[in-house]
Amino acid sequence: MKFKLNTNYKPIPDQSRAIDKLSNGILTGSKYQTLLGVTGSGKTFTMANVIEKVQRPTLIISHNKTLAAQIYQEMRELFPQNAVSYFVSYYDYYQPEAYIPSTDTYIEKDSDINETIDKLRLAATANLLTRADTIVVASVSCIYNIGSPREYGNFVFEISEGMKITREQIIDRIIDLQYERSDFGFNRGTFRVRGDAIDIYPAYLDEGIHIETDDKFIKKVELINPVTGSLIIHHQSPSTSFILYPAKHFMTNPESYKEVFEKIKEDLNIRVKELKAEGKVLEAHRIAQKVTYDLEMIQEVGYVKGIENYSRYFDGRSPGDAPFSLIDYFNEPYKDKWMLLVDESHMSFPQIRGMFNGDRSRKQTLIDYGFRLPSALDNRPLKFEEFMRRVPNFIAASATPNDWEVSLSEGKVTELLVRPTGITDPLVEVRPVKNQVSDIIEEIKKITSKGQRTLVTTLTKKTAEALSTYLNEQGLKVQYLHSDVKTLERTDILDKLRSGEYDVLVGINLLREGLDLPEVSLVAILDADKEGFLRSDVTLIQTMGRAARHVEGKVIMYADKVTGSMQRALDEVKRRRKYQAAYNKKHNITPTTIDKPRREKIIEYDSSERGAWVFGNKEKVFDSLPHLEIDAMTPMEKRRLVKNLSKEMRVAAQDLNFELAAEIRDKIKEINV
């Protein structure tokens, strides 16, 4: 099936120009292109038109799961007849396995697998192996190891009416695919047996499969409602066959167990000897027990929690070899005939660059203390250079692309500066810092009286919380948003802002969630003249763009001087406003506020869930801070700790993880007090 857009909208001339330029670039072999698209210019709609024109399977990467979910929902609406999938890692929601030596705290990998995440991930890979009209929207975590697509594809079970196979053989095949028998409950990834009938609930679908057997062959294959058991009748011809894919990404071939197990045991013996030689008797005993148990479980049921840490052995990879990731599920069937779109590339690329080191730091600690074999280091995300070698091309989309992206594109930068609504970049005022809080209160009251919303950015979490408390005391409906707020709860807060439950949102870095809030007409930037990663020209431009969804959009920067970053941001906004105003005049366009519906959540927030780690993984030194007795430390120990934290802060800032960098900065200040 071909990609086919379903929309009543037609691209405006500015979008058509961008669509043609980008599409021709892909079709003529341009490896790297950059789309400079301002907030609200319809980047997603433009991307969708490029997909339809190019007709290639497409991977869209976003810097966080919230924005990825938003793009997924929009693409699903634009391509209802095509396979649109959402792919995020468990690391996006749950804390991975870790060990904190300072407190002897072992944090086990979350065992409660979110059924929705699992379904969406498996649906994405199944679609890629069966349909060329596939769009996968993913977070940057898609570069993590997920097992070989070739092995995954080899385990498929083709079921068809008239097929010669016994009921027992069918059951054995289903179990090989990691489906669990459950005759009293029917959930995704399970099957049940009732006489000569077998019902399977594929891990990646909303429908079940009903199989009726007779002696040595299959009599009937039907799709059923997994809740009611009733037959699902499609408009097309009734289903007489079905391809069942595995219930898990990491699959093991029992025929290879002997060879693989011998290699694992060999490496285990080497590691035990190394640990004992270092005087780590406890660690040696721990790793011996752990690996022995894991091998017994794999032998018995073909799977164990944490099996991905042994994936190098089963995949036949050598130590240090790049793991298989979602990108391989594109490369395996389509070679170089697929397309990569990187949204908010100024954030996404730095995160891709930083994920390897963060993961390795966490894994090395687990290895050092006997929780994992050194092979766990090969269960990892791709290095940036490995990622770049595996993608055939990319279109980097951002309102503020990095110099690296622009230079790599060799001048192939397509500007998308006009919004279909005609809204120009917001008016920007610079006001003195003195009395900034009382001034912003008056502005908020004016905005609120019109039924509009406000965003306020501060420099620290403490300031955000204190300001929120003060504004609430003044009769305003305010909530703060920063890294301590659980990741799934953040979406709830944004929904409540849109619905009017809150009038104001106060945060540090209000860009991390990919905010798309048409109700916001005012953005206030406190202490705008404090040069640094939170007040760089890129951050300021992005922050000001939050007010570019409303026809009355306005930005107030509170500053006593205009810094270099401020001036560059002001100049760029002025340039865009001039271009946009001229375009509106030429085409007789009257600006109108965006009307954006509130969509259902893909994954519901559960208050019992543990918060995710910021930026994939925080560094181990920072993780240990809450457990350290800082007051009991010597001056030398404090200096060493501050030195290590300063390194982490710089890494986080380089990767545009401003919120984490600011958090580390505040910790350094506390230690130095």
Side-chain angles (χ1 to χ4, degrees):
M1 184 180 291
K2 287 191 172 184
F3 289 106
K4 184 173 175 57
L5 267 173
N6 181 36
T7 178
N8 294 323
Y9 295 105
K10 298 292 182 186
I12 63 173
D14 203 52
Q15 290 175 323
S16 294
R17 176 186 52 78
I19 292 163
D20 289 341
K21 187 175 179 181
L22 294 168
S23 301
N24 291 336
I26 293 290
L27 295 172
T28 56
S30 292
K31 201 166 175 65
Y32 308 121
Q33 299 180 85
T34 298
L35 173 62
L36 197 163
V38 298
T39 302
S41 59
K43 282 186 296 180
T44 303
F45 183 63
T46 301
M47 289 179 182
N49 276 272
V50 172
I51 293 170
E52 185 184 47
K53 200 159 185 176
V54 172
Q55 290 292 323
R56 290 186 182 180
T58 300
L59 172 61
I60 303 174
I61 294 180
S62 175
H63 70 282
N64 69 57
K65 68 197 165 300
T66 305
L67 185 54
Q70 179 183 304
I71 296 171
Y72 162 67
Q73 289 173 315
E74 291 175 355
M75 285 293 176
R76 194 170 58 173
E77 292 169 4
L78 290 166
F79 293 100
Q81 299 175 17
N82 303 113
V84 181
S85 303
Y86 179 65
F87 189 98
V88 295
S89 168
Y90 299 114
Y91 296 151
D92 286 315
Y93 289 94
Y94 308 113
Q95 186 163 295
E97 183 184 31
Y99 179 67
I100 303 174
S102 60
T103 57
D104 190 27
T105 303
Y106 173 67
I107 303 168
E108 192 174 16
K109 178 184 176 183
D110 206 297
S111 59
D112 296 325
I113 302 300
N114 186 297
E115 189 178 287
T116 306
I117 295 176
D118 222 29
K119 171 209 161 186
L120 293 166
R121 284 165 56 85
L122 288 162
T125 50
N127 284 339
L128 282 169
L129 297 180
T130 56
R131 301 179 62 169
D133 63 325
T134 293
I135 300 169
V136 180
V137 184
S139 66
V140 291
S141 64
C142 68
I143 66 171
Y144 267 93
N145 176 31
I146 63 167
S148 167
R150 193 165 296 176
E151 283 297 311
Y152 179 79
N154 287 340
F155 275 88
V156 298
F157 179 24
E158 296 185 29
I159 307 164
S160 60
E161 291 183 5
M163 182 178 178
K164 289 185 178 180
I165 188 170
T166 66
R167 190 192 73 156
E168 286 69 29
Q169 287 173 325
I170 294 173
I171 292 171
D172 288 343
R173 287 295 312 276
I174 297 170
I175 292 172
D176 286 344
L177 296 183
Q178 296 302 319
Y179 286 83
E180 297 179 10
R181 183 164 179 169
S182 179
D183 292 335
F184 300 101
F186 196 43
N187 304 306
R188 284 193 181 88
T190 67
F191 72 97
R192 64 190 178 196
V193 181
R194 296 176 176 175
D196 292 330
I198 303 170
D199 293 337
I200 312 167
Y201 197 166
Y204 49 92
L205 292 179
D206 293 322
E207 300 92 7
I209 308 168
H210 177 73
I211 305 171
E212 291 184 13
T213 64
D214 185 10
D215 211 10
K216 294 184 178 181
F217 68 93
I218 295 174
K219 271 197 328 184
K220 187 181 290 184
V221 179
E222 298 174 322
L223 290 180
I224 60 171
N225 184 308
V227 177
T228 65
S230 59
L231 178 66
I232 297 175
I233 300 175
H234 287 279
H235 298 297
Q236 299 90 3
S237 59
S239 299
T240 59
S241 63
F242 193 88
I243 298 177
L244 182 66
Y245 281 85
K248 294 180 172 64
H249 279 123
F250 291 97
M251 300 299 297
T252 59
N253 188 350
E255 295 177 3
S256 67
Y257 281 177
K258 185 178 179 181
E259 182 183 345
V260 169
F261 283 16
E262 284 178 359
K263 181 59 181 170
I264 294 174
K265 289 175 181 177
E266 182 184 328
D267 287 353
L268 172 62
N269 290 332
I270 294 171
R271 184 59 182 155
V272 168
K273 289 178 182 178
E274 288 175 348
L275 290 169
K276 286 182 177 179
E278 296 171 9
K280 297 181 176 179
V281 179
L282 173 63
E283 288 82 353
H285 178 70
R286 179 185 289 151
I287 191 63
Q289 276 195 318
K290 173 70 175 170
V291 175
T292 302
Y293 171 80
D294 286 351
L295 294 183
E296 288 174 356
M297 287 295 294
I298 295 171
Q299 179 75 52
E300 190 68 26
V301 299
Y303 193 82
V304 71
K305 186 169 66 176
I307 193 172
E308 60 272 15
N309 292 294
Y310 303 102
S311 61
R312 182 236 291 170
Y313 301 104
F314 290 101
D315 293 343
R317 291 184 284 131
S318 300
D321 284 355
F324 295 102
S325 69
L326 180 65
I327 291 170
D328 292 286
Y329 283 76
F330 280 89
N331 283 329
E332 182 70 22
Y334 308 111
K335 309 304 178 189
D336 61 348
K337 300 302 181 187
W338 62 278
M339 182 168 58
L340 172 64
L341 304 176
V342 184
D343 193 51
E344 302 291 352
S345 56
H346 67 286
M347 298 282 285
S348 299
F349 279 128
Q351 287 203 24
I352 292 172
R353 288 180 186 275
M355 288 174 75
F356 173 81
N357 289 332
D359 181 82
R360 189 175 183 87
S361 173
R362 176 176 60 84
K363 292 277 179 57
Q364 191 61 59
T365 303
L366 289 167
I367 293 165
D368 291 344
Y369 288 88
F371 291 96
R372 288 294 172 192
L373 286 175
S375 62
L377 291 175
D378 294 308
N379 168 40
R380 58 173 176 86
L382 295 172
K383 299 176 183 176
F384 189 73
E385 57 271 22
E386 294 169 340
F387 166 80
M388 289 296 292
R389 284 199 299 269
R390 281 160 175 75
V391 298
N393 55 66
F394 70 65
I395 296 174
S398 172
T400 53
N402 291 324
D403 291 341
W404 172 82
E405 299 159 38
V406 175
S407 64
L408 205 61
S409 301
E410 298 178 343
K412 298 181 180 70
V413 178
T414 303
E415 287 196 321
L416 192 61
L417 301 181
V418 175
R419 301 177 175 89
T421 57
I423 295 176
T424 61
D425 273 33
L427 286 166
V428 185
E429 293 183 40
V430 179
R431 298 183 184 181
V433 171
K434 187 178 180 180
N435 300 321
Q436 62 181 358
V437 174
S438 56
D439 186 77
I440 193 60
I441 289 173
E442 291 304 312
E443 290 293 334
I444 291 171
K445 288 179 178 178
K446 292 177 189 175
I447 295 299
T448 304
S449 67
K450 300 180 192 178
Q452 299 165 11
R453 315 284 187 267
T454 302
L455 300 180
V456 182
T457 67
T458 66
L459 288 172
T460 67
K461 285 196 298 185
K462 285 184 178 179
T463 305
E465 292 177 14
L467 182 61
S468 298
T469 301
Y470 183 75
L471 293 178
N472 276 305
E473 290 171 352
Q474 304 306 305
L476 301 171
K477 296 181 292 185
V478 185
Q479 179 59 274
Y480 62 82
L481 184 67
H482 54 57
S483 61
D484 283 353
V485 178
K486 292 180 178 179
T487 53
L488 294 178
E489 191 179 358
R490 297 179 194 183
T491 308
D492 283 350
I493 292 173
L494 298 178
D495 285 343
K496 288 175 180 178
L497 180 75
R498 293 199 63 192
S499 66
E501 193 166 332
Y502 302 130
D503 296 320
V504 185
L505 191 61
V506 182
I508 303 170
N509 183 17
L510 291 173
L511 311 176
R512 287 184 59 81
E513 298 303 322
L515 301 187
D516 187 5
L517 307 168
E519 295 81 8
V520 171
S521 64
L522 174 63
V523 173
I525 304 173
L526 304 187
D527 301 306
D529 53 1
K530 299 294 189 287
E531 279 275 24
F533 42 77
L534 285 174
R535 297 294 182 261
S536 67
D537 54 338
V538 171
T539 306
L540 289 172
I541 292 170
Q542 289 283 339
T543 304
M544 289 189 282
R546 301 309 107 187
R549 297 277 181 168
H550 200 285
V551 71
E552 298 180 33
K554 183 172 76 170
V555 176
I556 302 175
M557 303 169 78
Y558 291 94
D560 289 330
K561 61 180 180 182
V562 176
T563 63
S565 294
M566 287 176 63
Q567 191 60 60
R568 288 189 294 274
L570 289 167
D571 290 344
E572 178 61 12
V573 170
K574 184 179 178 181
R575 179 184 79 87
R576 294 177 184 182
R577 277 182 60 86
K578 184 178 178 181
Y579 182 92
Q580 293 155 351
Y583 185 93
N584 288 348
K585 185 177 180 181
K586 180 180 177 181
H587 295 274
N588 199 26
I589 296 173
T590 302
T592 55
T593 298
I594 292 172
D595 182 16
K596 184 179 180 68
R598 291 194 291 275
R599 296 179 172 87
E600 79 279 5
K601 300 183 191 101
I602 295 176
I603 299 168
E604 292 292 328
Y605 166 65
D606 180 354
S607 60
S608 66
E609 290 172 349
R610 287 180 286 176
W613 284 14
V614 178
F615 172 60
N617 307 297
K618 293 180 182 178
E619 296 288 336
K620 57 185 178 182
V621 175
F622 183 71
D623 275 337
S624 303
L625 274 181
H627 312 282
L628 294 177
E629 298 290 337
I630 294 175
D631 292 340
M633 295 177 99
T634 66
M636 184 178 292
E637 289 172 332
K638 286 184 179 180
R639 284 195 296 272
R640 189 181 298 119
L641 180 60
V642 167
K643 184 179 178 181
N644 289 334
L645 286 172
S646 298
K647 289 180 182 177
E648 294 183 20
M649 181 180 69
R650 286 192 292 273
V651 170
Q654 287 169 4
D655 292 319
L656 300 187
N657 191 358
F658 299 140
E659 212 167 336
L660 175 56
E663 198 170 345
I664 297 173
R665 177 203 60 197
D666 294 344
K667 288 291 184 184
I668 292 172
K669 287 181 179 178
E670 287 179 24
I671 297 167
N672 286 329
V673 169

